[in-house]
Amino acid sequence: MTKQRITIMLCAVLFCAALGVYAPLKSSVLETERRLASAFPELPHGISSGKIKKFCAGIDRFYADHFPLRSTILSAASVIFAYTGNHYDTSRCYQGKSNWLFLGNDYSKCVDKLTGKESLNENQIERMAAKYSRLQRLVDSGASQFLILIGPNKSTIYGEHLPGFIFPSRVRYISPLVAKLRAMNIDVYDPTERLMSFKSNRLLYYRTDTHWNLLGAYVAFEGLREYAKWPPLFPATFKNVPSKHGDLVNIGGYTSFHIIDDDTFSLNDFHIQSSPSQDDTITTVQASSDKAVWVFGDSFTEALKPFIQAQFRTVRYFKHDDFKKVMKSDAPRPDIVLWVVVERNFAE
């Protein structure tokens, strides 16, 4: 018997012995993480590369959860990260550098998408492309223009402020879907490059909030306006105003958090008067365009409103879930339908 065979057999014996020690263990509660520890995986029924890969991944999770002194080590790491101003728990909210807070993985797996742990497969791309194609067909039936505006995640724009244990993937999660939609002639505007080029001047997102601020919304909308070839807006200037705690302070469970007054702005000398009607149509007489727009959006729409209303004569705002009902209604169709969606939900 050769030395190579002896070595292989010895490794196999040690591996089986290790499995024998751990296999009887059942799933237990990990108190520090408030979840069940992974149970030992069932042996695969049949042999295939996919089943073996899944079984080995289960073993990997099992050993990671049952590693000796795991809770003690993680507790010590928590103290170290808290002392240095960071926190390793990325489930709901985590702290980055320079008093930046970022949204955690409980929200659309945004951390896994950022780091490349999650990626879009072909079936997901096709499914999402079919969804946006259906939206476009509903719009086209009324001869309106359909545009999608993506609101980039704060972690996409301000990756330099992420904590040292978060490493963004070189391939962005949404890129394959954006490319697919553009190949289908669906208008998608992603202002990421524009925001990146403007961010060295003043902050475009809030330090303690998930959203872009008024200035960031303006930079993104100006990019969309140029992309869509809409008429120029009236000049807008901005001034700093006192900052407040953003939504991430509550999401992260902070009882207090140091605020820096450099991320909040108000419009200065932007005198655009808009008035709502009984059907929630907002009319702006001095708008740059006499066109009408329907905006279907999420919370990233809020900071865009002053610029949307300065651009279009009439505006109506809806939630994403209202789309099918509204587009099939008897209401007179607008010239433009704008779909505003934050990056983490764009490919859901």
Side-chain angles (χ1 to χ4, degrees), residues 209-212 247 297-305 320 340-342 344-345:
D209 199 279
T210 54
H211 303 90
W212 50 29
D247 57 3
D298 51 26
S299 58
F300 264 61
T301 306
E302 193 62 32
L304 292 166
K305 287 183 177 180
H320 289 150
V340 181
V341 58
V342 64
R344 64 178 177 274
N345 295 331

Side-chain angles (χ1 to χ4, degrees), residues 67-343:
F67 191 84
L69 301 177
R70 173 189 173 86
S71 295
T72 302
I73 294 170
L74 291 179
S75 296
S78 178
V79 172
I80 293 170
F81 279 116
Y83 180 76
T84 57
N86 294 313
H87 200 283
Y88 74 92
D89 182 6
T90 60
S91 58
R92 293 183 60 80
C93 170
Y94 57 98
Q95 186 174 348
K97 304 168 186 175
S98 306
N99 280 67
W100 285 76
L101 294 177
F102 294 92
L103 192 63
N105 207 46
D106 286 353
Y107 299 87
S108 303
K109 297 185 179 179
C110 59
V111 178
D112 287 346
K113 293 175 181 177
L114 175 67
T115 58
K117 187 175 180 180
E118 287 274 330
S119 59
L120 288 171
N121 58 42
E122 288 299 323
N123 289 336
Q124 290 171 316
I125 294 171
E126 292 297 329
R127 177 173 56 82
M128 290 305 305
K131 168 194 167 181
Y132 286 112
S133 179
R134 288 193 298 270
L135 298 183
Q136 185 181 51
R137 285 198 299 272
L138 280 174
V139 174
D140 287 346
S141 65
S144 299
Q145 181 185 13
F146 179 56
L147 294 101
I148 300 171
L149 171 61
I150 299 172
N153 295 338
K154 185 167 72 172
S155 54
T156 297
I157 304 301
Y158 287 99
E160 69 272 21
H161 294 300
L162 290 166
F165 55 91
I166 299 290
F167 301 97
S169 171
R170 292 184 178 180
V171 179
R172 193 174 171 198
Y173 180 82
I174 67 170
S175 294
L177 179 57
V178 171
K180 176 72 174 180
L181 295 182
R182 287 174 176 167
M184 297 168 62
N185 294 319
I186 297 176
D187 278 329
V188 182
Y189 180 68
D190 175 12
T192 295
E193 289 187 10
R194 182 179 176 88
L195 290 166
M196 295 282 281
S197 66
F198 275 82
K199 72 176 185 177
S200 60
N201 300 323
R202 288 188 284 182
L203 294 184
L204 306 179
Y205 283 64
Y206 298 105
R207 290 175 182 267
T208 66
D209 199 279
T210 54
H211 303 90
W212 50 29
N213 57 29
L214 199 64
L215 180 57
Y218 174 73
V219 171
F221 186 80
E222 273 291 275
L224 175 66
R225 184 191 63 75
E226 293 175 4
Y227 171 82
K229 296 180 173 58
W230 297 331
L233 291 178
F234 294 101
T237 58
F238 299 82
K239 63 179 179 181
N240 277 101
V241 295
S243 300
K244 299 179 181 178
H245 284 157
D247 57 3
L248 290 170
V249 175
N250 290 329
I251 291 172
Y254 292 92
T255 55
S256 64
F257 197 84
H258 179 62
I259 296 296
I260 301 175
D261 281 330
D262 62 352
D263 64 357
T264 307
F265 302 93
S266 66
L267 274 167
N268 191 28
D269 298 327
F270 194 69
H271 301 297
I272 303 296
Q273 298 297 324
S274 300
S275 56
S277 63
Q278 291 183 346
D279 66 350
D280 294 325
T281 297
I282 297 173
T283 302
T284 306
V285 177
Q286 316 100 306
S288 298
S289 165
D290 61 357
K291 294 183 181 298
V293 63
W294 285 356
V295 182
F296 294 84
D298 51 26
S299 58
F300 264 61
T301 306
E302 193 62 32
L304 292 166
K305 287 183 177 180
F307 316 113
I308 293 173
Q309 289 159 206
Q311 184 73 62
F312 300 105
R313 178 68 59 88
T314 61
V315 182
R316 293 188 69 184
Y317 297 102
F318 304 95
K319 296 179 180 178
H320 289 150
D321 291 342
D322 297 329
F323 188 88
K324 188 174 182 179
K325 178 182 68 175
V326 172
M327 295 306 298
K328 289 187 175 182
S329 71
D330 295 329
R333 289 297 182 89
D335 302 288
I336 297 163
V337 174
L338 178 61
W339 182 276
V340 181
V341 58
V342 64
E343 177 183 346

Side-chain angles (χ1 to χ4, degrees), residues 24-40 62 65-67 70-71:
L25 295 176
K26 302 297 182 182
S27 180
S28 57
V29 176
L30 297 174
E31 296 292 343
T32 57
E33 300 172 59
R34 298 180 183 178
R35 67 176 177 86
L36 289 175
S38 300
F40 193 83
F62 177 79
D65 282 0
H66 292 278
F67 191 84
R70 173 189 173 86
S71 295

